[in-house]
Amino acid sequence: MDRDQGERDDEAPGRPTLKTLAFMTGLGVTTVSRALKDAPEIGAETRRRVQLVAKQIGYRPNRAGVRLRTGKTNVISLVLNTEREIMSFVSDIIYGVSEVIADTPYHLIVTPYSRSQDPLDPIRYLVETGSADGVIISRTQPNDPRARYMLERGIPFATHGRTDMGLVHPYHDFDNYAFAAEAVRHLAGMGRRRLALVTPPVGLTYHGHTVNGFTDALSEVGASEVPFNTVSIDHSIEQIRMRTAQVMRRQDRPDGFVSSAAAATLAVVAGIEDAGLKLGRDVDVVSKQSSELLHLFRRELLVVNENFRLAGSELARSVLGWIGGAEPGSLQSLSLPGEVVAYHRPD
Amino acid sequence: MDRDQGERDDEAPGRPTLKTLAFMTGLGVTTVSRALKDAPEIGAETRRRVQLVAKQIGYRPNRAGVRLRTGKTNVISLVLNTEREIMSFVSDIIYGVSEVIADTPYHLIVTPYSRSQDPLDPIRYLVETGSADGVIISRTQPNDPRARYMLERGIPFATHGRTDMGLVHPYHDFDNYAFAAEAVRHLAGMGRRRLALVTPPVGLTYHGHTVNGFTDALSEVGASEVPFNTVSIDHSIEQIRMRTAQVMRRQDRPDGFVSSAAAATLAVVAGIEDAGLKLGRDVDVVSKQSSELLHLFRRELLVVNENFRLAGSELARSVLGWIGGAEPGSLQSLSLPGEVVAYHRPD
DNA sequence: GTGACAAGCTGTAACGTTTCAGTATATTGG
DNA sequence: CCAATATACTGAAACGTTACAGCTTGTCAC
């Protein structure tokens, strides 16, 4: 009827809003809002018209407006430990997540926490302030307080690594049991019989998986374990190196290593060489890596690749799926390790 | 959505708002709002009282409310190339930024763009949608359209690396001229006289700096350059490796390399060894690195450290400073390279 | 006693969005 | 012709915050 609000409408040079669209189309803001989301009670022609104009003038909904009204933030938070995260993990997982949310309205915020803090702190902050619609966490524990907390509050999340609490939630994990077992079998196949394991950080779920795969395969192939559990991949390069050198100077030294991370592997190799031994002759090492660098380091190294970018994508897909109403139980994935790969000289 | 409980006037079990505080203190929301920001027209006692209650019940301003009303997002965006960024750069710079914004209301969002896109795209998006109060960009060019664009729109930003457009803006940079020059001097001091440079990506500002430092020092010490400009650190490991092997098989091969990135250095060393030559005997390599790994790789490597975490902190400080009203010209910093460091065996 | 003024507080409006509760018109059935 | 119903649209209110323009008091000069 009286759409003639008249000339008093601001010739806003700023960003177009629903009001702008309403003015341009001669409709009410409500109609415009509904037309843009394909509501059925808007006429087909009107709908097309509004959407056309919106596209033409490059309308983008104001995030603050939506967020204030609906509580939806359109934000996914990636929670990271500032000291202990594997370097390539950070980079790759961010890109993996980015890939997936690229054509969605979602933004990715990085929420860091430091060694000194309770890992629950950043989660509490996110939940209490309602800063994200979904959360991705790493360094998952069998009984993870963060997962429990978010499950209680009903906030969608996905974990990198599994929990073991009898609770169901989305996750993505690399099959570290299979990795460790395969590594042992490979070493055994090369005649190695006394194996040491450079474990993941104690307390994380995949520590257990890795250890189990390792020991199960050991007994399967009839090899034995050389205890090496005073360090993990969380320890410093220097600590791992020293400990390796130490164990390699004993006469009951290992003739094979399985290492859960590339950086630790560098330290192990350095330690081996500190003890005057030679990789490939006195000892073999199978290592996980997330970028193709270990073969450049020492061509004798045996590697298994873990794709963190894929992990990021899967985790993002899971969280978005949960936000979108899918069953958490259907948003779990496990990535199987490839073969142990040895170096082939390009020629 | 479902309506919550009917009796929701001020007994709201949800997050406290200004209204909650107003009710609890018996004041108006305006007064509460002003009291929380230490406005002078609020009585000292009232101010203290309000702040006490706010702290007690854990009041946190609603970001969407603030953002809608004021346009302030309290967001810093870090814009990254998903394909070409150095891996440790991503991880370290994020942590550096995080450190600085940890006790501010700011959140960090990561805005990625891919190879195929115009680098200006993500910037345009951020500016047009008003998604951030400040932006950090890397891979800076002498004449950088992104910096120009943001300068025109008056949006605070900082660049990792300098521009050369006669325009003033905050930046943080590593002195790559000094690095390259020092590397050349060091190699010359070891008797190396035919040097090759593994350059930064052509087109980026620090490519020029590095090349200049390299050539200036060459003539200073009277050494000569072996052209190696068909690859840069942006090229794949395989490409750099092949090209290195190629050049090392010629009889006028270099006896020294200066490398601008650790990953490229791995490739160079592999190429050297492909050609049947030995690092430290036939050729020496000085490389930049951002994490302490190269010495583990080959102890003969000579390294100069670049601290990306520091860069992240500086960049964050700069952007926040500009947002806070400081002079852009006062927010520039240059990080000087340390000495070239050779490996010392721990014993 | 009056007017001026400051101190301290308050209500209203607005930011852009979605939801609720309509309204106006056309269509149908009887 | 009337009522019932469906279709297509609309204004007002609300989310939480801040800015603006007020409103009370009390004090002080004269």
Side-chain angles (χ1 to χ4, degrees), chain A residues 18 30 33 37 59 61-62 65 69:
Chain A
L18 287 182
T30 303
S33 171
K37 19 182 73 62
Y59 168 76
N62 179 304
R69 178 64 236 245

Side-chain angles (χ1 to χ4, degrees), chain A residues 221-242:
Chain A
V221 301
S224 70
E225 168 170 15
V226 179
F228 196 69
N229 45 28
T230 53
V231 289
S232 78
I233 59 171
D234 251 12
H235 288 78
S236 75
I237 294 286
E238 276 316 313
Q239 286 173 302
I240 300 173
R241 177 178 187 169
M242 244 141 63

Side-chain angles (χ1 to χ4, degrees), chain A residues 140-148 162-165 167 203 205:
Chain A
T140 308
Q141 303 177 8
N143 188 333
D144 200 298
R146 302 168 300 171
R148 195 182 294 282
R162 283 162 283 179
T163 57
D164 186 17
M165 318 184 283
L167 296 176
T205 313

Side-chain angles (χ1 to χ4, degrees), chain A residues 44-91:
Chain A
E45 145 123 33
T46 304
R47 213 153 52 199
R48 274 203 322 272
R49 196 158 61 88
V50 170
Q51 292 177 358
L52 176 69
V53 177
K55 183 143 295 174
Q56 285 293 335
I57 67 173
Y59 168 76
R60 307 263 204 164
N62 179 304
R63 315 191 113 232
V66 176
R67 181 163 172 178
L68 182 57
R69 178 64 236 245
T70 65
K72 181 139 209 274
T73 62
N74 284 310
V75 163
I76 299 293
S77 171
L78 174 63
V79 179
L80 294 174
N81 184 305
T82 17
E83 271 108 11
R84 298 195 150 124
E85 227 69 69
I86 293 174
M87 204 151 49
S88 62
F89 174 74
V90 175
S91 158

Side-chain angles (χ1 to χ4, degrees), chain A residues 154-216:
Chain A
I155 161 155
F157 67 97
T159 60
H160 184 236
R162 283 162 283 179
T163 57
D164 186 17
M165 318 184 283
L167 296 176
V168 63
H169 61 83
Y171 64 77
H172 175 82
D173 204 357
F174 180 81
D175 191 340
N176 287 284
Y177 180 96
F179 155 68
E182 200 44 56
V184 167
R185 282 187 211 106
H186 194 93
L187 287 169
M190 302 171 75
R192 303 301 189 182
R193 315 229 59 85
R194 305 184 38 71
L195 308 184
L197 174 66
V198 188
T199 70
V202 181
L204 305 195
T205 313
Y206 83 112
H207 174 271
H209 293 157
T210 308
V211 169
N212 288 345
F214 183 73
T215 54
D216 284 2

Side-chain angles (χ1 to χ4, degrees), chain B residues 12-330:
Chain B
R15 201 142 83 88
T17 69
L18 287 182
K19 208 158 108 194
T20 319
L21 282 179
F23 176 75
M24 295 179 74
T25 55
L27 298 162
V29 285
T30 303
T31 310
V32 172
S33 172
R34 288 162 102 82
L36 287 177
K37 20 182 71 63
D38 280 320
E41 59 268 66
I42 304 296
E45 145 121 31
T46 304
R47 213 152 55 197
R48 276 203 320 272
R49 197 159 60 90
V50 170
Q51 291 177 358
L52 176 69
V53 177
K55 182 143 296 175
Q56 285 293 336
I57 67 174
Y59 168 77
R60 308 263 206 164
N62 178 304
R63 314 191 114 235
V66 176
R67 180 164 171 177
L68 182 56
R69 181 63 238 248
T70 65
K72 180 138 211 273
T73 62
N74 283 310
V75 162
I76 299 293
S77 171
L78 175 63
V79 178
L80 293 174
N81 184 305
T82 16
E83 272 109 11
R84 299 196 151 123
E85 227 70 68
I86 293 175
M87 204 153 45
S88 62
F89 174 75
V90 175
S91 158
D92 283 343
I93 208 162
I94 285 176
Y95 292 150
V97 173
S98 296
E99 241 170 69
V100 171
I101 66 175
D103 0 82
T104 73
Y106 284 89
H107 283 180
L108 171 64
I109 94 176
V110 175
T111 309
Y113 66 100
S114 63
R115 188 192 314 261
S116 52
Q117 278 175 54
D118 184 346
L120 203 47
D121 280 355
I123 310 292
R124 271 203 216 93
Y125 168 82
L126 288 172
V127 173
E128 280 170 11
T129 63
S131 290
D133 297 335
V135 175
I136 295 174
I137 61 175
S138 65
R139 301 182 65 85
T140 308
Q141 304 178 9
N143 188 331
D144 201 298
R146 302 168 300 170
R148 194 182 295 282
Y149 181 86
M150 289 190 278
L151 230 24
E152 276 164 8
R153 325 276 147 153
I155 162 157
F157 67 96
T159 61
H160 184 238
R162 283 162 283 178
T163 57
D164 187 17
M165 317 184 283
L167 296 175
V168 64
H169 61 82
Y171 64 77
H172 176 81
D173 203 357
F174 180 81
D175 191 340
N176 286 284
Y177 180 95
F179 154 69
E182 199 45 56
V184 167
R185 283 188 211 105
H186 194 94
L187 288 169
M190 301 172 75
R192 303 303 189 182
R193 316 230 57 85
R194 304 184 40 72
L195 308 183
L197 175 65
V198 187
T199 69
V202 181
L204 306 195
T205 313
Y206 84 112
H207 175 271
H209 293 157
T210 307
V211 169
N212 288 345
F214 183 73
T215 53
D216 284 2
L218 276 185
S219 68
E220 173 192 321
V221 302
S224 69
E225 169 170 13
V226 177
F228 196 69
N229 44 28
T230 53
V231 289
S232 77
I233 60 172
D234 251 13
H235 287 79
S236 76
I237 294 285
E238 275 317 314
Q239 287 173 301
I240 300 174
R241 178 179 186 166
M242 243 140 65
R243 178 76 187 108
T244 305
Q246 219 170 37
V247 79
M248 290 310 285
R249 281 194 251 262
R250 301 199 321 230
Q251 75 235 66
D252 60 342
R253 64 174 186 243
D255 57 4
F257 277 89
V258 177
S259 167
S260 290
T265 303
L266 302 190
V268 166
V269 171
I272 288 170
E273 295 172 354
D274 286 346
L277 300 171
K278 187 161 161 26
L279 190 65
R281 184 191 62 193
D282 306 307
V283 57
D284 275 300
V285 177
V286 178
S287 174
K288 263 206 306 190
Q289 71 173 356
S290 58
S291 42
E292 310 271 345
L293 294 177
L294 285 179
H295 277 154
L296 291 174
F297 177 59
R298 294 289 185 273
R299 59 191 57 176
E300 296 84 2
L301 281 171
L302 306 162
V303 304
V304 174
N305 292 300
E306 174 171 6
N307 189 340
F308 286 141
R309 192 156 183 151
L310 172 71
S313 297
E314 285 300 315
L315 288 166
R317 252 186 281 277
S318 294
V319 188
L320 293 188
W322 197 358
I323 292 172
E327 277 304 310
S330 68

Side-chain angles (χ1 to χ4, degrees), chain A residues 2-130:
Chain A
D2 64 339
R3 50 164 175 83
D4 59 337
Q5 292 294 21
E7 351 278 304
R8 57 158 295 283
D9 205 61
D10 309 85
E11 299 305 313
R15 202 141 84 86
T17 70
L18 287 182
K19 209 158 104 194
T20 319
L21 282 178
F23 177 74
M24 294 179 74
T25 55
L27 297 162
V29 286
T30 303
T31 309
V32 173
S33 171
R34 288 160 104 86
L36 287 177
K37 19 182 73 62
D38 281 319
E41 59 267 66
I42 303 297
E45 145 123 33
T46 304
R47 213 153 52 199
R48 274 203 322 272
R49 196 158 61 88
V50 170
Q51 292 177 358
L52 176 69
V53 177
K55 183 143 295 174
Q56 285 293 335
I57 67 173
Y59 168 76
R60 307 263 204 164
N62 179 304
R63 315 191 113 232
V66 176
R67 181 163 172 178
L68 182 57
R69 178 64 236 245
T70 65
K72 181 139 209 274
T73 62
N74 284 310
V75 163
I76 299 293
S77 171
L78 174 63
V79 179
L80 294 174
N81 184 305
T82 17
E83 271 108 11
R84 298 195 150 124
E85 227 69 69
I86 293 174
M87 204 151 49
S88 62
F89 174 74
V90 175
S91 158
D92 283 344
I93 207 162
I94 285 177
Y95 292 149
V97 172
S98 296
E99 239 170 71
V100 171
I101 67 176
D103 4 77
T104 74
Y106 284 89
H107 283 181
L108 170 65
I109 93 175
V110 175
T111 308
Y113 66 101
S114 63
R115 188 194 311 262
S116 52
Q117 277 174 55
D118 183 346
L120 203 47
D121 280 355
I123 310 294
R124 271 203 215 93
Y125 168 83
L126 288 171
V127 173
E128 281 171 10
T129 63

